[in-house]
Amino acid sequence: MDPVRNPYAPGAGQRPPELAGRDRELQQFAVTLERVAAGRPERSMVLSGLRGVGKTVLLNAMRSLAVQRAWGTAKIEARPEQGLRLPIAQAVHAAVREVAHRHRDPDRVDAIAGVLKAFAFRSRLEERKGVRWQPPTDVPASKGRADSGDLELDLTELFTDVADLARDLGVGLALFVDEMQDAAPAELAAVCGAGHEISQQRAPLVVVGAGLPHLPVALSASKSYAERLFRYVRVDRLPRDAADRALMVPAATEQVGFSVDALDELYRLTDGYPYFVQAYGKVTWDAALASPIRVQDVRVAGPEAEAELAIGFFGARYERATPAERDYMRAMADLGARTADGPVSTADVAGTLARRPQSLSPARDGLIKKGLIYAAERGSVAFTVPHFGKFLRTRHV
Ligand SMILES: Nc1ncnc2c1ncn2[C@@H]1O[C@H](COP(=O)(O)OP(=O)(O)OP(=O)(O)O)[C@@H](O)[C@H]1O
Ligand SMILES: [Mg+2]
């Protein structure tokens, strides 16, 4: 069918034409926003899940809910080897600008800009190089607020001040942190500490995190009370009805339907993983000759979708691994053949490779850092990418 009208959107962070199966989470977040704005006690949220399950698009949808309520919103993506201070300063600055123009007292707004500047200037010089953003230039940096150099203290003061500004306007401020597992443990602890303090003050500021499945564990390890601070929400594969909706609703807007056996086959292939739903949906649409889309169309499209995923979704990640890391993943995949690609024990991986476990630590740590695997339960690891084990078992090189 006409590829120009193809509604599907495979791609990292690509807004899906129909955000299926996330109503409960969005509803919950809407309540959170109302409660926080009203100064009621409330836990923030942390989304965790495998690659491509839709954490980023859910985070963005939550951000839209905050924007609809005229909140200031800030979003950052944590990166390994990069501190949070400067990205937070930059994003909070943008959030303040979103709301500040409605504020009646320009001196208060300037005072906050000065605090932001002081906060940003505490970042390491080498971090500021290469960052295009400049702290507000028209105000002097304040002194003695958010500039101690201790991230937790400084964040607490910065959050307090920007939350006060938002409260003057009857709204709040939301900070969204994507790929949160990539933040250094000390910085995670600082964010939790500041969030804890802010929630005790009932200040209208929420921090919403998203990251890989081990993020909740990383947060708890950084601060013992993290579990009470956040509501942990697992973002997972879509159940059958939601996966069908993700395919059918966008097609219906183009007067296109699916036969039931086509939907059966698509669910079998995608397992309900949102990225795969978009990827198979897209290729199937192009392959189909007419509405309704039939199972034969899915069968024709299947290999092509698989080939595209092998290059873009799986291959691009595989290429980032070193030879030793690839061996490690191959061993995981071989073991996974017997465990439906659930977590495998690191001792078994070592056994498969006939190596001592300690000698494999660099490969394991490298893969965790690259976000390809995560430490599941004690002494075991799993792929962060759905179907990655199957991909490795079937590739012919
Ligand atoms: N609820 C949903 N319904 C339909 N499609 C979805 C849904 N959620 C996500 N998608 C689609 O899945 C793909 C992956 O989404 P997204 O980039 O948000 O995943 P992610 O969990 O952030 O992945 P990563 O861990 O790689 O960052 C996108 O193409 C998006 O359009
Ligand atoms: Mg993402």
Side-chain angles (χ1 to χ4, degrees), residues 9-22 49-58 178-179 212 235 238 246 274-278 313 317:
Q14 285 283 333
R15 191 158 67 98
E18 166 73 6
L19 185 66
R22 307 291 186 227
L50 298 174
R51 294 265 169 232
V53 288
K55 302 177 295 295
T56 298
V57 299
L58 183 53
D178 205 356
E179 303 289 351
L212 292 174
V235 184
L238 300 172
Y275 193 99
F276 300 153
V277 170
Q278 299 299 331
F313 192 69
R317 292 183 160 91

Side-chain angles (χ1 to χ4, degrees), residues 76-307:
I76 66 166
E77 192 179 301
R79 300 220 166 86
E81 335 291 346
Q82 189 193 43
L84 289 180
R85 184 181 284 263
L86 208 52
I88 287 181
Q90 178 172 13
V92 169
H93 185 207
V96 166
R97 288 169 47 137
E98 275 170 25
V99 296
H101 65 93
R102 303 200 299 269
H103 204 283
R104 295 239 182 90
D105 182 354
D107 291 345
R108 285 254 302 128
V109 174
D110 282 355
I112 302 240
V115 172
L116 246 166
K117 194 168 182 173
F119 175 82
F121 278 166
R122 267 304 190 158
S123 58
R124 291 197 312 261
L125 196 60
E126 63 268 26
E127 281 188 10
R128 263 179 278 154
K129 278 187 203 150
V131 174
R132 276 216 317 274
W133 174 73
Q134 288 299 320
T137 47
D138 42 351
V139 291
S142 65
K143 285 214 174 65
R145 191 125 182 101
D147 61 356
S148 73
D150 177 313
L151 186 61
E152 181 168 335
L153 280 179
D154 294 352
L155 270 179
T156 304
E157 292 181 352
L158 178 72
F159 284 174
T160 303
D161 288 0
V162 297
D164 274 350
L165 188 81
R167 183 163 33 208
D168 290 347
L169 297 162
V171 295
L173 200 129
L175 169 64
F176 299 90
V177 185
D178 205 356
E179 303 289 351
M180 198 176 193
Q181 78 284 338
D182 281 343
E187 301 218 316
L188 282 183
V191 171
C192 289
H196 190 42
E197 187 57 38
I198 286 295
S199 75
Q200 284 169 32
Q201 294 173 20
R202 306 272 165 89
L205 186 140
V206 288
V207 179
V208 186
L212 292 174
H214 61 289
L215 175 59
V217 175
L219 285 167
S220 299
S222 82
K223 284 276 191 205
S224 57
Y225 51 74
E227 279 156 58
R228 280 167 282 143
L229 196 59
F230 297 109
R231 178 182 295 137
Y232 291 130
V233 177
R234 252 194 82 162
V235 184
D236 216 333
R237 31 196 293 251
L238 300 172
R240 173 68 195 258
D241 59 329
D244 285 358
R245 237 188 11 267
L247 290 165
M248 286 161 65
V249 173
T253 62
E254 302 290 340
Q255 285 79 48
V256 170
F258 286 85
S259 72
V260 174
D261 53 357
L263 291 171
D264 289 344
E265 181 64 2
L266 280 164
Y267 197 72
R268 192 184 69 77
L269 290 165
T270 64
D271 243 353
Y273 283 108
Y275 193 99
F276 300 153
V277 170
Q278 299 299 331
Y280 279 90
K282 177 144 198 213
V283 179
T284 302
W285 173 286
D286 287 349
L289 297 174
S291 176
I293 293 173
R294 301 155 313 152
V295 69
Q296 291 91 319
D297 302 323
V298 182
R299 295 211 175 104
V300 170
E304 196 184 324
E306 212 171 295

Side-chain angles (χ1 to χ4, degrees), residues 344-357:
V344 297
S345 100
T346 51
D348 290 348
V349 174
T352 306
L353 292 169
R355 297 270 303 271
R356 277 185 307 115

